[in-house]
Amino acid sequence: MRTDVVVIGAGAAGLLAAVAARRLGHEVLVVERSGSVGGSTATTDGALWLPGNDMMGRVGIPSDSAAEAASYLDALAAPGSPLVAARRVAFTRTAAIVGRWLTTSRIALEVVKGLPDCRPDVEGAKAQGRTLRPKPVPPKLDEEWAHTVRGVDPAASQTGLRAWLARPFRDPGQLSGGAALVAELLRRAVGSGVQLWLEAPLTSLLVDDGAVTGVAVERAGEAVDVHADKGVLLACGGFEADQGLREEHLPMPTSSDWSVGVGADGAALRAGQQVNAALAGLDQAWWTPVLLADGKAHKVDVARIAPHSMIVDQAGDRYLNEAQPSVFAGSRMYEHNRGMRSVPSYLIMDSRHRKANRLGPWDAGNSPKSAIESGELVKAAGFDELARALGVDRAGLIGSLVAFNMMAKRGKDTDFGRGDSAWDRHFGDPLLRRNPCLGAVDKQPFWAVRIYPGDSGTKGGLVIDDRSRVLREDDTAVPGLWACSASAASIFGGSQPAQGAGLAAALVEAYRGVLDLSGQLTQLDETLA
Ligand SMILES: Cc1cc2nc3c(=O)[nH]c(=O)nc-3n(C[C@H](O)[C@H](O)[C@H](O)COP(=O)(O)OP(=O)(O)OC[C@H]3O[C@@H](n4cnc5c(N)ncnc54)[C@H](O)[C@@H]3O)c2cc1C
């Protein structure tokens, strides 16, 4: 088969690339390994961090600039190389353009009101406005495609009071978050003539004299060669599902069972090896603390931020601000584990917390007997029993609880600053005036779960330049090959600038890659300079 552009992976990045390439007049084929469209994107709330977007004025942030956003990124983590510095500049300059591309494509976005950048105290940060999300939409896909979009559970991204407020208004007939974004992009893709093959994994690149000329994919049990006259874009994620690659590159201990990603297995890395592509950042991931239940990892963002809970290590000591952004919390778990065992750690909650908040797969107030009997969820009448059940040092645990409860009564976490930042407070309980993230853990029964430094995908991958071209070790571009998102090394290093930064970078890199392979990127960059 012959086409102009082959995109590997039908997540948001792959679909946006496909629609953009089709609009530029190319024949496009998207090949997707799974039987569903949407990848990790469809399981998220679809948050998109697009600095300088056109909607910021609506929430009272009239001015933002690419330079401010770039200086914020540099303050969080040094770029490390001129290449990453150039990619950051390209990202911050193009982010608003991609926002406009989505809205002019009639994919409605709204500002996530009140949500600041992850480190609001750092130079260049904004108090709100940069993070957008797709508005809920009715599914408008025809029957052939409607069932292919990976589902999403909107309740999982809501915290205590917000979940309760949202409940009566949630319309089960609407798609929201990442699933809405994916469905909208999919509709435009199939409507404009993009070809999409499901259950068609990339197996290798077709390479001729160092240049990528197409891909080999498996389709219905057959090997199919697809020649791409313009180029191939890898948008097939990282390697979170491959235990061997995890052990080779990520900090230990590590397990693919701790990942909440949809299971990218390193296809982009293997493809890159065929053309001697350079690799970077392989020890980094989008860390997120998780609990394990029913054989799956579940994020605990709501539960660890909500008041009446705290996290301790295996000596029973508290060691982090539980409410900090997930990437920082996960990497803190690893750092602490070097001196004192904190993998797993324990999330300790009291009865008020259990009644008010979702915890992994369990709704607020619902604590199944089977989970308690299997030990996934620990219930105890008092602190002694809790320490015994968890096997942690009794004196250590009780000392931590007493100290924590005193701080909670004063509303000030003098040890780790939980609730000091506008980021923490955004997710806390607004009914707790002194500190929305801090409440004593003192009402029986007590509850606990083991938590692990899980991830929502890896961050390291192929080295690309600011045109999303895949580079070799000597910085020369591999002809015919572009990569984006988790298939490429992240521009954010070990940091998390904001909710939606990962997805936004994915879309921007996909967009820039398509413009580059169409010979139109220089023109865009000239207008942005
Ligand atoms: C639970 C969760 C929460 C998240 N929360 C956030 C957040 O708050 N903010 C944020 O910015 N990011 C978040 N992320 C990360 C975000 O989802 C990703 O950055 C984004 O979805 C990447 O989009 P993508 O299109 O590149 O990848 P994906 O949406 O993952 O799509 C990749 C596609 O490639 C396919 N694929 C894999 N291998 C092959 C192969 N060999 N051949 C063909 N196809 C293949 C996969 O099946 C998949 O469909 C979260 C991720 C998860 C899992």
Side-chain angles (χ1 to χ4, degrees), residues 8-14 31-34 38-41 43-44 200-202 235-236 260-261 267 299 456 485 499-503 506:
I8 313 297
V31 298
E32 164 57 44
R33 180 188 62 170
S34 71
S40 292
T41 315
T43 69
T44 72
L202 166 78
C236 51
V260 295
K299 288 176 108 179
S456 49
S485 186
Q499 192 157 345
L503 183 51

Side-chain angles (χ1 to χ4, degrees), residues 63-121:
S63 75
D64 187 17
S65 68
E68 271 180 288
S71 73
Y72 171 62
L73 292 179
D74 291 349
L76 286 186
S81 72
L83 192 72
V84 173
R87 283 181 61 199
R88 285 186 183 176
V89 169
F91 165 73
T92 51
R93 285 185 179 166
T94 316
I97 303 287
V98 167
R100 216 167 289 149
W101 185 94
L102 289 166
T103 50
T104 54
S105 303
R106 294 175 180 271
I107 296 177
L109 303 174
E110 61 188 2
V111 169
V112 182
K113 284 198 189 133
L115 179 64
D117 292 344
C118 281
R119 286 281 151 93
D121 47 320

Side-chain angles (χ1 to χ4, degrees), residues 7-16 30-49 131 150 182 197 199-203 217 234-238 240 259-268 270 286 288 299 301 326 423 455-458 484-487 492 496 498-507 510:
V7 177
I8 313 297
L15 291 171
L16 180 140
V30 179
V31 298
E32 164 57 44
R33 180 188 62 170
S34 71
S36 324
V37 173
S40 292
T41 315
T43 69
T44 72
D45 62 4
L48 286 166
W49 189 64
T131 298
R150 209 178 277 272
V182 164
W197 293 354
E199 296 180 330
L202 166 78
T203 51
V217 298
L234 297 169
C236 51
E240 68 270 10
S259 180
V260 295
V262 292
D265 65 356
R270 286 191 295 279
W286 292 96
T288 186
K299 288 176 108 179
D301 290 348
S326 53
W423 168 270
D455 61 83
S456 49
T458 48
C484 64
S485 186
S487 297
F492 303 126
Q496 179 182 6
Q499 192 157 345
L503 183 51
L507 300 190

Side-chain angles (χ1 to χ4, degrees), residues 22 68 175 184 217 219 231 276 295 306 314 398-399 455 528:
R22 189 75 199 98
E68 271 180 288
L175 289 172
E184 290 290 90
V217 298
R219 194 184 187 208
N276 299 320
Q314 294 180 18
I398 294 179
D455 61 83
L528 295 176

